[in-house]
Structure formats: C-alpha cells, structure tokens
Amino acid sequence: MDQITVYGAPWCPDCHRSKTFLTEQRIPFSWVDIDADAAGLRFVEELQRGGRTIPTIVFPDGSHLLEPSNAELAEKLGVRLRATRSAYDLLVLGGGPAGLSAALYAAREGMETLVMESGALGGQAGTTDRIDNYPGFPDGISGAELAQRLVAHARRYGVEMLAAAEVARVTREPDCLTVATTTGDGYQASAAIVATGSRYRRLGIPGEAGLIGLGVHYCATCDGPFYRGEREVVVIGGGNSALEESVFLASIVDHVIILTRGDLRASELVQDKVRAHPRITVHTGVDLLAFERKGDRLGAIVTRERATGTETRFEPAAAFVFVGLDPNTAFLAGSVDLDPRGFVITDDRYRTSMDGLFAAGDVRAGSTKQVGSASGEGIASLLSVRKWLEARHDMAPATLDEPAS
Ligand code: NAP
C-alpha cells in the first residue's frame, strides 16, 4: 500500500469530515466503502478484533487511526494547521450554527474573522439525521446539508475557518484577548465569541467506557446504519434527542426499545409519533445498572425497574445513549464564570465575566438548545460585540444593512 486508505461509509459524517480534511490538505487517499465492499468490512473487523469503528484510516507504514479528530490526523500526517494571520478583529470559538451565523454577520460588517473548530464545521447539528423545525425548510433539512450551507454562506463573506483547531485557553490581556490552541498556536483579537456547543453526555455506568463503538453509541446517524436489518436496538433517554433518534433508528432496524428512568419529556408531537410507531416500545421508570460484554462487543444491558425493583437483562444489537448534553467548556474553567453544569453564564447582552468575551448557542447557560435559536444567538451576540467595540472606539458605527465592501 503506497497511499492512505480510508475505510468508511457514505452516510458516516466523520468519514466525510476525514475525507474533506485530506482533500483540503491535498493528500491523496483511496476510499473503501465497507457497505459495498465485503473484503473491506472484513479487514476493518479483523483490525479491530470485531469492532467496526469508522473511519478506519490505514497509513502506508501499516499503522492506523480509528475515528481520529482532524487534529490527530493532522499530527499523524505532519500537517501544520495555522491560520493566515495571528491577529483578527474577532475570533469565533466553535463552528456550529451559532458560531458560523455570528461569523458571517461579522464578515459582512467588514470584521476580519477567524472561526476555530475542534472537529468538523457544522457542529452537533451536522450529525443530526433530520432537522424538522428550522424555519424556512418546510420539508425539513438534513443536519449535514444545513452544516454545508452554513459553511458555504460564511465562506462567501470571506470568513477564515480552521477545522482542527482545539482551544486550550482564553486569556484577557490589557488590549486584547489571546486564544491559545492545544497545538501551541496563539491568536489575538479585540473580542471573541464562545460558541463551542455541547456533546452527548455519557451515562457513567459500569461497562460503558470499554464498549464505546463496540455496541454503545452516541450518534444514531453516524453508527445506526451498522445495525441495518438487526432485530433490536435500545435507546436510552426520554428527551427530544432520544425520541427523535429512535424514529430514525426504527427506519433501519426491526424494533427499537426506549429505556428511560423518568417519564418521557420530549415535545408532545414527538411523543405522539413514538407512541404511535409500530416498531418502537417505551419502558419508563427504568434505572440503567450496567453494560455487559459478550466477547469484544456489547452483550447485555442490565436494568432495574424503579417501581418493583425487578432486574432485567436486555440483549440488543446496540445501545444508543441520549441522556442530555454536557457543554464544551473545559478550556474556560477557572477563567470565566460557569454554572454548576459547566455552561457559560452571560448577561442579556451575551457578555461573559471576561471583558470582550461573549457566548452564544448551546454552550450558554439558559439557551434553548434549538438550532434556530443557536443561529439567532450567534447573530445577537455579534450585534452585542459590535456595540461593545463601538463603545471602545475600535469600530465605526454599525452599517448592518450593507455588505462589507
Ligand atoms: P434532555 O432533554 O435533557 O433529556 C435527557 C434524558 O435523559 C431524560 O429523559 C433524562 O431522564 C435522561 N437522563 C439524564 N441523565 C440520565 C442518567 N444518568 N441515567 C439515565 N437517564 C438519564 O436531553 P436531550 O434529549 O439530549 O435534549 C437536550 C436539549 O436539546 C433539550 O433542551 C431538548 O429540547 C433540545 N433538543 C431539541 C430538539 C428539537 O427541537 N428537535 C432535538 C434534540 C434536542 P430524567 O427525565 O429522569 O432526568
């Protein structure tokens, strides 16, 4: 093998991200679709002792990476990921709907803007199968397409975007903010917006950590299609994410069981859809005790009914966990006020406790965790940044209706 081979599937967002990254870096690679290539699938399973995590990227020296972040891929390939400049008017941390909406408004205003995203541009919304409540899309839109459109829109106004830039620290200097990355780069700007969003929370029960990717999953669009045609999968959680992803999974497998410790708490519309679905069964009042292993993969889920204390073992092909969201704010701990769950506290003008640092979207305490409001918050926070800069005489008064010339 004289070049890189990416084993994956067309529906896998992380495969798409890795391929995009390699293409953007002009690194040649071969692509093996393991849905269509039985030998490719066998190779992946042998390499992972039964696991099927994708993308599996095999390098000419025989080494491989499983589902690497862009930064890991960049490091492996010796690619240096650096923006074109070290100072900008505005740094936007996070490239989901909130960050990209803020950035495109900023660029239209003539602000030199850099978006820094640790994973793939488009954020968590980009991994959602279908978004049915984003205004203006009466037939819904796939998360991946919405992400691509947001990126294209920001690009049109000249926003610079880094897709593998993980922020390590934000520091207030006398005249600017400095944002340091985990790879040791530093960028300066007058202001910054934190829009780093959130990620699906782990359950934290015995057996979970060792089975991630081997039957325990957190992304239905990414990993669900591995189980196409299987008899049964379990979804854990009772919120909008769990129920919406259950409907998606029920289009792939014969039967979906939802296990939730409390009552369902998704919107009525989604609850009605799930209750009426012939291939989804809901068990409420069920505590999750442990994941058990069978060989290298998930064997069973052990539960206890709250009302009776009865313990039950479910033996699905896979478990998909949707038990809420944790904010991506580790890099702010100790420097910015966070609420007890780690979400960024802001005032009604999206200002954090650090002068010049604003926050918008899912990462913000009190945000609604809706894609539409994340975009709206991104825009509103940018307008607030604008006012803040004007007050410091860093910018001329706003010209919001006119594109930057
Ligand atoms: P969520 O609404 O916070 O629901 C989390 C679910 O997981 C609840 O059923 C909760 O049970 C359960 N849970 C939490 N911790 C658990 C644990 N340790 N063990 C077992 N079960 C546990 O989370 P989400 O569904 O991810 O949604 C997050 C936010 O995004 C919400 O505001 C939601 O409305 C929004 N969202 C909106 C849409 C949409 O509008 N289409 C789609 C997805 C998400 P308890 O009730 O017992 O705590």
Side-chain angles (χ1 to χ4, degrees), residues 133 200-201 203 237-242 244 260-263 265 322-325 368-370:
N133 53 4
Y200 289 116
R201 186 182 299 152
L203 265 170
N240 275 315
S241 303
E244 288 181 3
T260 179
R261 62 180 185 186
D263 284 329
R265 59 151 102 153
F322 299 103
V323 293
L325 304 169
T368 60
K369 317 295 184 264
Q370 302 287 310

Side-chain angles (χ1 to χ4, degrees), residues 10 16 45 73 86 92 104 196 198 230 247 310 313 338 360 403:
H16 180 73
E45 288 183 332
L73 200 46
S86 59
V92 177
L104 82 87
T196 44
S198 55
E230 289 283 357
V247 173
T310 311
R313 292 172 83 254
L338 305 175

